[in-house]
Amino acid sequence: MIKNYIKIAWRNIWRNKLHASINVFGLAIAFAISSILFVTAYFQLSFDSFHKESGSLFKVSKFAMTEDGGRFSGQLPLPFLAAVKSDILQVQQATRVVYGRDEPLAIQDKKLNRIVTRVDPDFFQMFNFGVIQGDIDSALSGIENIALTKSTAIDLFGTEDVIGKELSLGKKGEEKGLIVSAVLADCPRNSSIQFQALARVETLPSFQENQNNWSAGSANVFLKVPESPIALNTSLENFVDKYYQEELAELNLSKSSLPADIKPINLNLTNIENIHFSGERSTPLFLIYALIGLGAFILLIACFNFISLNLASSFTRAREIGVRKSLGAFKGQVFFQFWSEALILYFIGFVLGIFLTYQLLPIFNARTDANVGVNNLFQPQFLGIMSLIFLAVTLIAGGYPALKISGSNIIEVLKGKISGGKPSRVRNTLLVSQFAISAFLITLSFIGSKQLNFIQTKPIGFNKEQVLSIPIGSDQDGQVILERLKNSLVSNPEVLSISGTGINLGRGLDRVTMRNTVGWDYLDKHINMDWILTETDFLKTMDIPLVAGRDFISNSISDKETGLIVSESFVKAMGESEPVGKFIGENSEGKPYQILGVVSDFHFYSPSEETLPIAMHLSDVEPVQYLFLKLKSKNLVASVQKIENTWNGLTDNAEFKASFVNENLAAWYEGERLMTDLFGTASGIAIFLSCLGLFALSLLTIELRTKEVGIRKVMGASVSSIVKIISFSFIKLVLIALAVALPLAWFASNAWLENYEYRISQSPLPFIAVALLVTLIALGTVSFHTIKAALMNPVKSLKSE
């Protein structure tokens, strides 16, 4: 029986090739796109879930209340670890994790730069990173131990059999001799903690200086606790009162001035599986849910197509159904016959969709920087999820039409009729839903593009063109390299000026982004600011205008110790009309800073992030991490090559990772660009699938109304009136869809735009444009068949009568 079902189903599919091709093609596209979106969401949601005791692992962060809101920090002082282990008994294990930059690892005459992360001995007891060689329990038992990933071991030694071998860590003159104690599997892509080598926290260059310093936040602290973090609230409050007394006083807030349930300083615990979605530069969780929603929408549209086409095609197969029933076929048998056809079509579409996913995923990764491995497609959990989706879609989208068809009245179907009342209402509802989803996505994509263009073209306060950014690297002395480069390029007419900073503008080839904020009190006001280390000539290099005072003076001791250049918003926060010469804050020696100059406001960080006042300073202690060179050249490639040659002669084999600032700033808009691309692609596919279904549905409808068209022509109806009558029955449904979708898109886009300090103002024009676009696309899709039917010779359409 099952064999006959499949054989007859295949014959029917083969007989209706166009109908079947439209269904399979639409399903394949829908499965492919939704699979890409689902596997991306699956990958993001799987972050840090591979740790066996992830439910007991928490990251500690600090939130301090201030008069203008609050300050959040995930970086805690180095002495925090010992204090929390001794004072809070519920803490079973704890480790500090100090994320590293590229640092030099050397053996004899070979040196490589790799990311070295510092941790404590408990690290391997808390986290489950694969160990290839070495004893996991004693891997970092000694300060002199270091653990390498497999790829790092092979790159450095040429083999992974490196236990007991020696290497040096650190820049020239500050090297530390270490012994390899373990070889680890390379970090999983879905790990928030990334490293290429692990060393003890005690090997940090600043460890001796900061090991007892409670004012310097430099480490991420992870705790393993056996119970709910809520049970630790009282212990954490007592911990704050004991160890943060000075900061509590500096906040200038008393507990009595706050509600009883709000404390000036709170220590919060974030489960490790949520770390990927928390923090200022994390992946927004709403974006992951948006991916799932987009995938579901596209699948729904494909399902709606299938249901609509099968319900419509049932009219053309009415006599077949009647004959089957008159010969004794039960309702269940008719159901399984039609459902088996759906199952075959869905299976073919599903297989083609998975194949397309395999081919398209690398392109998607390159376009969105999603970093989703193809191997995620074959993870048992993901395959299980997709199999359940396939079964659910097949049962619902294939089963509903089969159920409706099998329940038809035998007398009516023998006359070639199937009641069109309720199925027609279902088809109309599905068509409205399809175009409503499409119009909704197109509108959001359009608004997203406008917002992206708005923040990209918004003045940022400096000239980003022809400015070269060079990461110095942790094994080089930034101050020394800066002076050497200035001296070497002083006679080069293509280099207008050179300066340096501690933080890059945007994200360069080293892929590092940082932000350093501090808060100071001035009179009765508290000012939170971006605290930026610069060198002399930074304003000249970036073309930032002074509005008052002066720039830093080269070789001025007082400028280097206590000089400040601030932004206009900083002055506004102070409430001073004449800020130059005023004193504010203190340096590490207790000397107050003096404001030397005021510059126009500019964006050191993305306009989509919170904008803070800016304070720029010089320093002999803080390292210069990035160099900026203002160029004036008609051949930038040749100019950069000359600078690279000079760089290679001045540095100790440091890698030249130069990039232009205007390229770096593109990282500012990655989130908006990703959202716009996703919604743009999804809306394009949604409208394509909707029109594909409308194309096939209009073909079936016109086939059923062929004699009606012939009679109208015989009675004198014009081609235009026939086209208008048939088209309007579809277009009115599209207009209903627009009436549903556009108000929803208005509210959704307004809610999204509220997240931006700088945003476009809503206008009805984009919504009108989307309405016209969708209507014209639908009209064009339907018109092909309606015009063809209207032009047909009525003799041919009525000859059977």
Side-chain angles (χ1 to χ4, degrees), residues 99 113 132 176 540 690:
Y99 298 118
N113 284 335
I132 298 174
K176 292 182 175 67
K540 177 183 177 182
S690 298

Side-chain angles (χ1 to χ4, degrees), residues 24 40 125 308 328 415 450 460 558 586 621 627 649 706 757:
V24 168
T40 303
Q125 280 69 51
S308 298
K415 295 178 181 179
K450 284 190 67 178
I460 55 178
S558 62
E586 291 181 349
V621 179
L627 301 182
T706 300
E757 186 174 355

Side-chain angles (χ1 to χ4, degrees), residues 37 41 177 279 287 375 527 642 665 710:
L37 298 177
L287 185 60
N375 62 304
I527 305 172
K642 292 177 185 178
L665 299 188

Side-chain angles (χ1 to χ4, degrees), residues 555-597:
N555 300 322
S556 170
I557 296 175
S558 62
D559 283 8
K560 183 153 288 192
E561 289 182 348
T562 60
L564 279 186
I565 294 178
V566 300
S567 62
E568 288 182 302
S569 56
F570 190 101
V571 175
K572 184 178 180 181
M574 291 175 66
E576 291 282 356
S577 57
E578 298 291 337
V580 176
K582 295 294 190 296
F583 293 92
I584 184 172
E586 291 181 349
N587 64 12
S588 58
E589 298 176 355
K591 297 179 181 179
Y593 286 100
Q594 184 178 32
I595 295 176
L596 305 177

Side-chain angles (χ1 to χ4, degrees), residues 33-34 36-42 44 283 285-298 364 370 674 678-679:
I33 300 303
S34 60
I36 289 174
L37 298 177
F38 289 157
V39 75
T40 303
Y42 171 81
Q44 295 290 336
T283 301
L285 193 56
F286 84 87
L287 185 60
I288 307 305
Y289 292 137
L291 293 180
I292 297 172
L294 288 175
F297 280 161
I298 291 171
F364 176 79
L674 176 60
L678 287 175
F679 275 90

